[in-house]
Amino acid sequence: MNGRQNSRPTLEQVAARAGVGRGTVSRVINGSPRVSEQTRAAVARAVAELGYVPNQAARALAGSRTDAVALVIPEAEARLFAEPYFLDLIRGVSAELAEADKQLLLTLVRSEQERQRFEQYLAAQRVDGVLLASVHGDDPLPDRIRELGIPVVMNGRRSEAEPVPYVDSDNIGAGRAAVAHLVGRGRQRIATVTGPLDMYVARARLGGYRAGLAEAGHAPDEGLVAAGDFTEDGGRAAMRSLLERRPGLDAVFAASDVMAAGARAALREAGRRVPEDVALVGVDDSPVARLMDPPLTSVRQPIEEMGRTMARMLLGDAGVTPEDTPKRVLPTELVVRGSC
């Protein structure tokens, strides 16, 4: 009879008793419609059995929860607002957190000093969790966040063996699908503009490009590979370099729509017509793709859904056990337009 704890039951205990994630319990308590009747009943039963009483004020005073989640993007403002990718990601994260009654804190980390300042902010327990986007391979921040005991989920990953929970898209499949489409259109000298190769996403898309060429029986040619940086200027510079080295190229797979726009400008400067002389394929299926002339064929990745999935995973709805490293890889899809 004395085995029952005298302390106030927690949201985590309710979640464990109901067999759902903490975020699901929060949605049930706050009346969200995004919960099935079966789940709602299970949570209600757990609340009754444990005698749980929601008390946001008491939890805030105790410092146990802040109901705030940080979305960290280690990029400059210019890239944040120039790339539709980040805006779609923010939209997905924001929508999911709003439904769970969580506050979104958007944070840019552009220097070592800002990274240290953000770590100090985290150490003060100012947020309940962190979402990370655009992480480079040597970034120590994901590991540092985990050392502080703060839940973290990444958009993308640093390597194939990423130990931190992440949500990604099928970047290898994106490169393979782009090349297969170009080969199917009769293109023979297919070049690529990569992203920065210290990022897994760029290496994966390059790997898909190479796999697609191999599957089509095309011999590899490193002269047809030029590094970009996911910016329009980077795509333009890389395209100019490719034209100097391999003027006979007849197709380009750019690892983002923004770089494809830069490549399109360089092709126009060189008097090359798209798609008559050079076919062009990008990645993201962003508004940039739809507004180009001609409209850009692009590999669509579900960016907004990635943001939503990241937030759900952070809130405990991933459906995994604590010893697992949650990971989700969402499919991509080729969208054909006038550029190829």
Side-chain angles (χ1 to χ4, degrees):
M1 294 178 62
N2 296 328
R4 181 167 178 164
Q5 295 180 348
N6 294 323
S7 61
R8 181 189 297 272
T10 66
L11 204 66
E12 287 77 7
Q13 290 170 328
V14 174
R17 177 67 65 94
V20 299
R22 182 185 183 280
T24 299
V25 175
S26 177
R27 281 193 282 273
V28 171
I29 291 172
N30 289 294
S32 170
R34 292 186 61 253
V35 182
S36 69
E37 286 304 317
Q38 182 179 359
T39 298
R40 194 182 306 278
V43 171
R45 188 163 51 249
V47 166
E49 291 173 355
L50 292 172
Y52 174 76
V53 178
N55 190 336
Q56 296 283 358
R59 283 162 55 212
L61 288 171
S64 58
R65 309 297 302 184
T66 68
D67 287 326
V69 171
L71 172 59
V72 181
I73 302 177
E75 301 287 352
E77 296 98 326
R79 187 177 172 207
L80 172 67
F81 294 110
E83 290 197 27
Y85 179 93
F86 293 119
L87 301 180
D88 286 345
L89 188 72
I90 293 169
R91 185 180 299 112
V93 168
S94 178
E96 195 68 30
L97 292 180
E99 291 179 7
D101 289 328
K102 299 292 184 183
Q103 182 179 359
L104 172 62
L105 303 177
L106 179 60
T107 304
L108 302 185
V109 176
R110 296 153 293 190
S111 66
E112 177 63 20
Q113 181 180 12
E114 288 185 344
R115 185 182 67 81
Q116 292 177 359
R117 187 182 304 125
F118 180 66
E119 288 182 9
Q120 293 170 358
Y121 183 84
L122 293 178
Q125 301 294 316
R126 303 274 181 83
V127 297
D128 293 338
V130 177
L131 301 170
L132 283 171
S134 194
V135 178
H136 294 250
D138 59 353
D139 194 333
L141 187 56
D143 301 314
R144 179 59 180 150
I145 295 170
R146 295 190 93 189
E147 290 169 4
L148 291 170
I150 298 172
V152 56
V153 176
M154 294 169 52
N155 173 228
R157 43 188 149 159
R158 293 168 294 179
S159 70
E160 186 66 34
E162 178 60 62
V164 175
Y166 65 83
V167 176
D168 204 355
S169 64
D170 183 7
N171 292 298
I172 293 176
R176 181 181 280 118
V179 171
H181 178 70
L182 290 166
V183 170
R185 293 298 174 94
R187 306 295 168 151
Q188 296 295 319
R189 296 171 296 281
I190 303 170
T192 186
V193 175
T194 76
L197 295 178
D198 66 332
M199 299 182 73
Y200 175 82
V201 58
R203 298 195 302 274
R205 290 175 187 173
L206 176 59
Y209 160 82
R210 287 171 171 158
L213 291 178
E215 290 164 3
H218 288 218
D221 179 358
E222 289 304 307
L224 289 169
V225 178
D229 59 2
F230 287 135
T231 69
E232 185 174 353
D233 287 344
R236 182 183 289 108
M239 190 71 249
R240 288 170 177 164
S241 175
L242 287 168
L243 289 172
E244 289 177 3
R245 298 198 310 256
R246 297 292 187 271
L249 64 85
D250 62 2
V252 178
F253 165 54
S256 77
D257 291 348
V258 173
M259 289 196 300
R264 174 70 182 90
L267 288 167
R268 180 169 289 172
E269 291 168 1
R272 305 295 180 90
R273 298 169 300 164
V274 175
E276 293 86 354
D277 302 322
V278 179
L280 187 59
V281 177
V283 179
D284 285 339
D285 188 32
S286 66
V288 171
R290 296 187 286 275
L291 294 173
M292 282 177 59
D293 179 23
L296 180 69
T297 293
S298 182
V299 182
R300 178 183 180 273
Q301 53 176 343
I303 302 169
E304 189 168 335
E305 181 57 29
M306 282 197 288
R308 280 186 169 272
T309 304
M310 290 168 63
R312 287 196 296 267
M313 187 180 289
L314 190 74
L315 296 174
D317 291 342
V320 295
T321 58
E323 60 268 19
D324 289 334
T325 297
K327 58 188 71 174
R328 294 286 184 273
V329 178
L330 304 184
T332 55
E333 176 188 4
L334 184 73
V335 179
V336 179
R337 296 192 178 91
S339 69
C340 178

